[in-house]
Amino acid sequence: MVALAEQEEIAKGKLLGEPLTWEDLSKMKYTWRVANETLRRFPPIFGGFRKAATDIEYDGYVIPKGWQIFWVTSMTHMDNNIFPEPSKFDPSRFENQASTPPYCFVPFGGGARICPGYEFARVEILVAIHYLVTKFSWKLLSDNSFSRDPMPTPTQGLLIELSPRKQLS
Ligand code: HEM
């Protein structure tokens, strides 16, 4: 199933103008995998600081108490041992969440300071995708290359042509 088919299925079951519900969001499983794979490849936040509260020994290195550590999202997102063929866009990686080791898929960070807006961001992403794909047809007018400055930014501005679609409901 592709994300468009999943979203069309949900739109078909609704009356014109009827808002999305929590139940609808819970059906957007494939779309969320697509969003997760996008967040894995192009994490909006590329890392963050932590301060060592005690001396930490890790992999033969000692990080002394008080030192700052910069954790980098793509170190695990692009690790071939965790996400095979990491450059390939493959939403099926997220079919089984248990297959990803803890603290390796970290677009929202992790631990006590994990992004508190995570669930809200999930809702925003799914609702935005739903209306964008069911109400409009898309045509990409630029290539899909990205650069970082430091956020992932479409090199050519990601020009798209949108045309309204026939209402599904
Ligand atoms: C795609 C959307 C978002 C991404 C990728 C994202 C990512 C992150 C990341 C990586 C952190 C640092 C976590 C850590 O240090 O372990 C963070 C922190 C935070 N985020 Fe988000 N975030 C998103 C959306 C949001 C939204 C929608 C809100 C609020 C409505 C929000 C509020 C916050 C706050 C307040 C913090 C600081 C938490 C703390 O330091 O205790 N974020 N976010």
Side-chain angles (χ1 to χ4, degrees):
M1 155 147 340
V2 294
L4 177 59
E6 183 176 75
Q7 295 302 335
E8 282 178 337
E9 199 54 38
I10 292 164
K12 265 189 228 155
K14 306 203 77 75
L15 299 169
L16 187 63
E18 187 184 345
L20 291 169
T21 61
W22 289 114
E23 198 191 334
D24 295 325
L25 292 181
S26 70
K27 290 180 194 156
M28 299 183 186
K29 290 191 170 38
Y30 186 79
T31 308
W32 186 234
R33 281 177 211 148
V34 171
N36 275 340
E37 181 66 340
T38 308
L39 289 165
R40 182 189 69 80
R41 284 289 280 113
F42 306 105
I45 309 288
F46 63 88
F49 287 103
R50 290 287 191 271
K51 192 170 173 183
T54 58
D55 288 350
I56 300 166
E57 194 175 339
Y58 179 76
D59 206 16
Y61 294 90
V62 176
I63 303 163
K65 178 182 174 182
W67 278 36
Q68 285 214 72
I69 304 156
F70 189 72
W71 61 268
V72 178
T73 321
S74 293
M75 285 301 290
T76 48
H77 286 194
M78 296 302 286
D79 185 330
N80 194 42
N81 296 315
I82 301 166
F83 298 103
E85 293 187 76
S87 297
K88 189 173 158 196
F89 187 86
D90 179 9
S92 73
R93 300 175 195 276
F94 293 96
E95 268 163 25
N96 176 11
Q97 289 287 7
S99 64
T100 307
Y103 300 103
C104 289
F105 177 61
V106 284
F108 294 97
R113 301 299 290 266
I114 194 171
C115 174
Y118 163 73
E119 281 295 340
F120 183 51
R122 180 174 165 272
V123 171
E124 285 183 305
I125 291 166
L126 292 175
V127 170
I129 292 177
H130 175 81
Y131 288 113
L132 282 171
V133 302
T134 57
K135 303 262 179 219
F136 300 98
S137 294
W138 290 61
K139 192 170 152 204
L140 190 62
L141 300 180
S142 51
D143 71 22
N144 57 4
S145 59
F146 281 78
S147 60
R148 287 194 173 271
D149 69 342
M151 311 294 267
T153 307
T155 317
Q156 298 180 358
L158 202 66
L159 301 171
I160 53 168
E161 187 180 275
L162 289 171
S163 32
R165 294 185 67 193
K166 195 173 143 283
Q167 289 300 314
L168 295 165
S169 55

